[in-house]
Amino acid sequence: MKEKTSRPRKTHRVRRIILIVSLSLSLVPLSSYAQALTYPGNASFADRTVGWLRDNGASGVVNTIENWYYTHHAPSAQAPPPDAIPKAGAAPIVIDPTLPNLRANTAPTPTLPNEGQWIPGPASSNAQPALYTSFVQPDTNYPSVIAGIALIRQSQTTAHLVAGTRQPDTGPWPGQARVPADDVAHLLATFNSGFKSKDITGGFYLNGQYSRDLIDGQASAVITADGRISIGAWNAGVQMSPEVTAVRQNLHLIVSKGTQVPDLSINAGGTWGSSRNQLQYTWRSGLGTDAHGNLIYVAGNGLTLETLATSLVRAGATTAMELDIHNGQVNFSSWASNATTSTPTELLPNMTTSPDRYLSPDQRDFFYLTVK
């Protein structure tokens, strides 16, 4: 199974800058830093360090450094390296009129091998694919940027939300902060959730337990008892009912009624996070649904909030929200299972965390899907 032990140089550099500058400004006793480094749950040294700095008065410094770095280090204008391009593998490329035509208006031209082609993933019990994957180049100015896309047939899957060991931060929460052992053999996909609780105003709800109030208008991923995820603005498109088992809020919608929400590049009033966050060229992820009720996950490195939204619309999303951002926080694996093993495959080959990340206790909350 693939292990990820290295990170891109630029991520090392920005994390190092944040650490040096912020530690020099912080007056918090370093004993709390030692606790952050040893707290249970999977998280990298860089993630633990930056999280500790944010939690101890240096959030503004961290945001300033990240904004400066990521907005001034645009992706390459060259074609992506071969090892960053998803491979089709043994699965046949499919032509299905019910799937979005990703090759329409593809730019730049010519397209990369398999760009915009749908590759079927694991099948459900009816022998039909429950998941398809593809990728596009969403930024005409930076052809090196690739957005991976996963489309999931919700009629064939059951969605689950899992609380981590540290997120949300109002625990303790039931469970072991990982995919339950009994569900591993039925896994279809695992993927990241949204921002940390401290960085948003929205709430979190899981099986009758709240972490802060659910806020009107906030973008919300809502799971109901039938195992489906709906995406919408709270109390304007989705709402509480006896059937709701989980709600994960994160910022505001970035796609509504099939179009990109206006003013994503302006971010008035911090609608989509801290100032200039939306302009950073960084790892981003988003989740939406299409007109057929399919679930759509999009992720890639070097995305701005606008190119993330563009990719979601291109994949057919009628409603969508941003999930988490930055290196190490964006991960999606599809899972193929047989009688003895379950094998994960990452949506993009340059995702920087282990593909089986959520089989071990994790500090962050996350989603996983099982096949019905």
Side-chain angles (χ1 to χ4, degrees), residues 88-359:
I93 292 173
V94 297
I95 300 175
D96 184 337
T98 67
L99 297 175
N101 181 7
L102 296 176
R103 296 179 69 85
N105 302 317
T106 298
T109 55
T111 58
L112 299 171
N114 302 320
E115 181 185 358
Q117 302 280 16
W118 289 107
I119 309 298
S124 64
S125 57
N126 66 2
Q128 297 299 312
L131 177 149
Y132 297 84
T133 59
S134 188
F135 71 94
V136 296
Q137 293 172 284
D139 196 327
T140 56
N141 294 317
Y142 303 109
S144 64
V145 176
I146 290 176
I149 301 169
L151 184 147
I152 297 100
R153 302 289 199 193
Q154 292 210 80
S155 60
Q156 302 174 37
T157 60
T158 299
H160 312 261
L161 176 63
V162 177
T165 62
R166 299 207 72 177
Q167 292 296 318
D169 57 6
T170 55
W173 294 86
Q176 298 179 319
R178 64 183 180 186
V179 175
D182 290 345
D183 280 349
V184 173
H186 310 289
L187 273 177
L188 177 71
T190 54
F191 57 94
N192 61 281
S193 184
F195 285 24
K196 286 185 175 181
S197 301
K198 191 171 185 177
D199 297 326
I200 59 175
T201 58
F204 181 102
Y205 169 84
L206 181 60
N207 296 327
Q209 183 174 341
Y210 285 86
S211 175
R212 301 185 176 89
D213 293 335
L214 299 172
I215 305 300
D216 288 354
Q218 293 281 294
S220 306
V222 179
I223 302 178
T224 44
D226 59 0
R228 297 178 70 92
I229 295 180
S230 299
I231 306 294
W234 190 248
N235 283 335
V238 291
Q239 57 276 321
M240 184 57 72
S241 77
E243 295 299 307
V244 172
T245 60
V247 181
R248 207 327 177 159
Q249 295 192 318
N250 200 59
L251 310 172
H252 286 71
L253 293 176
I254 61 174
V255 175
S256 180
K257 298 180 180 179
T259 61
Q260 178 178 307
V261 172
D263 299 329
L264 291 183
S265 63
I266 298 174
N267 195 22
T271 302
W272 295 286
S274 61
S275 176
R276 298 186 65 79
N277 165 295
Q278 75 284 1
L279 303 178
Q280 294 179 11
Y281 296 101
T282 187
W283 277 99
R284 293 183 190 271
S285 57
L287 188 67
T289 52
D290 68 10
H292 305 288
N294 299 314
L295 194 65
I296 298 170
Y297 176 96
V298 171
N301 193 13
L303 295 175
T304 63
L305 189 57
E306 283 194 295
T307 51
L308 174 64
T310 297
S311 301
L312 284 157
V313 171
R314 189 166 166 185
T318 54
T319 307
M321 59 191 289
E322 185 176 41
L323 295 179
D324 213 350
I325 68 173
H326 292 331
N327 184 57
Q329 307 308 330
V330 176
N331 43 84
F332 181 104
S333 293
S334 59
W335 291 74
S337 302
N338 56 38
T340 58
T341 61
S342 294
T343 304
T345 300
E346 289 171 308
L347 181 62
L348 292 172
N350 57 344
M351 285 182 164
T352 58
T353 58
S354 176
D356 62 353
R357 169 177 177 171
Y358 298 120
L359 298 194

